[in-house]
Amino acid sequence: MRFVRNLVKTVYTLCLLGAVLVFSAIVHLDRTLPADFKVTQGEELTIHSEFPLKAVSSGGEASRANAQPAAGVRYDVDLKLFGVIPVRRANVEVIPETYVAVLGQPFGIKIYTEGVLVVGLTDVDSPTGNRNPAKEAGIREGDFIRTVDGEHVSSNSDVSRLISESGGRPLRLVIARDGREKTVTLTPQRSVQSGGYKAGLWVRDS
């Protein structure tokens, strides 16, 4: 008998707790849910909530079949928790679908630069540790490299080739910054990983 009484007591407590939780959820939803919703013509009413809510009309669940009225039509739905417990009634307005049309004549733009643009600096894993030759030379992001050792450069491959062929000797670079040109000396460092000489530069051409 004690077991039965304990079981009944446990079931009663769980039911009471469940009722309190459901009541709290209903009060919360009634306060936070809007009274009016808008749906695009041809789409179903979607309610974003942390609780399992369903919109139910007089004809059953408000699915796509209930969301087909023409734009401008209004209808009422009952919002129900688990599709069973009434929470509140809401009004739904059907609005026309919005289209974006791209008009005009398509065209392309290509920007040509005099030299190559420095878009980033990075360290080189040299035998003496991580170093950034470009930064040590005073080169900054946004600079344009015009020449390397007197040779005009117009592509990434030009810069890469001249640095690789340097053998680590200092190179004179003419760079442009804020409309003015200046000459800097860059000493490439040998990369331990690749074995080649690098300047620690990320560049971009036209």
Side-chain angles (χ1 to χ4, degrees):
M1 291 296 293
R2 179 178 298 178
F3 172 76
V4 175
R5 286 198 298 271
N6 290 337
L7 180 61
V8 172
K9 184 177 180 180
T10 301
V11 172
Y12 174 78
T13 302
L14 292 175
C15 291
L16 181 62
L17 180 61
V20 171
L21 292 175
V22 170
F23 178 76
S24 300
I26 292 175
V27 172
H28 171 74
L29 290 170
D30 184 60
R31 291 179 177 176
T32 58
L33 284 174
D36 299 286
F37 291 89
K38 296 181 185 294
V39 296
T40 302
Q41 183 178 0
E43 295 184 357
E44 61 181 297
L45 174 61
T46 301
I47 302 172
H48 301 284
S49 173
E50 64 272 27
F51 299 97
L53 275 177
K54 287 186 179 180
V56 180
S57 67
S58 58
E61 184 178 341
S63 60
R64 184 173 297 275
N66 303 108
Q68 291 296 337
V73 172
R74 292 176 176 267
Y75 60 92
D76 292 330
V77 293
D78 292 318
L79 305 180
K80 295 186 177 183
L81 190 63
F82 303 108
V84 177
I85 306 173
V87 175
R88 70 177 307 168
R89 175 161 291 190
N91 179 263
V92 181
E93 179 185 0
V94 182
I95 60 176
E97 186 173 1
T98 302
Y99 294 91
V100 177
V102 181
L103 304 175
Q105 179 67 34
F107 64 94
I109 297 177
K110 186 170 184 178
I111 300 175
Y112 291 90
T113 61
E114 294 182 10
V116 295
L117 173 66
V118 178
V119 296
L121 304 177
T122 185
D123 288 340
V124 177
D125 55 332
S126 73
T128 57
N130 287 341
R131 295 181 60 181
N132 192 313
K135 187 175 182 180
E136 293 172 5
I139 298 174
R140 305 176 188 172
E141 292 183 15
D143 289 347
F144 284 93
I145 301 176
R146 305 287 200 210
T147 65
V148 177
D149 257 9
E151 182 174 333
H152 288 276
V153 292
S154 59
S155 66
N156 305 343
S157 58
D158 289 342
V159 177
S160 178
R161 174 179 56 80
L162 292 169
I163 291 173
S164 298
E165 295 175 352
S166 70
R169 65 178 176 82
L171 301 173
R172 290 170 58 84
L173 277 65
V174 175
I175 64 173
R177 179 187 302 160
D178 299 328
R180 297 182 178 180
E181 290 190 350
K182 63 181 297 186
T183 301
V184 299
T185 301
L186 181 145
T187 304
Q189 297 294 317
R190 184 173 61 84
S191 168
V192 175
Q193 182 177 5
S194 67
Y197 286 89
K198 299 182 178 296
L201 280 171
W202 289 101
V203 294
R204 180 180 298 163
D205 56 28
S206 297

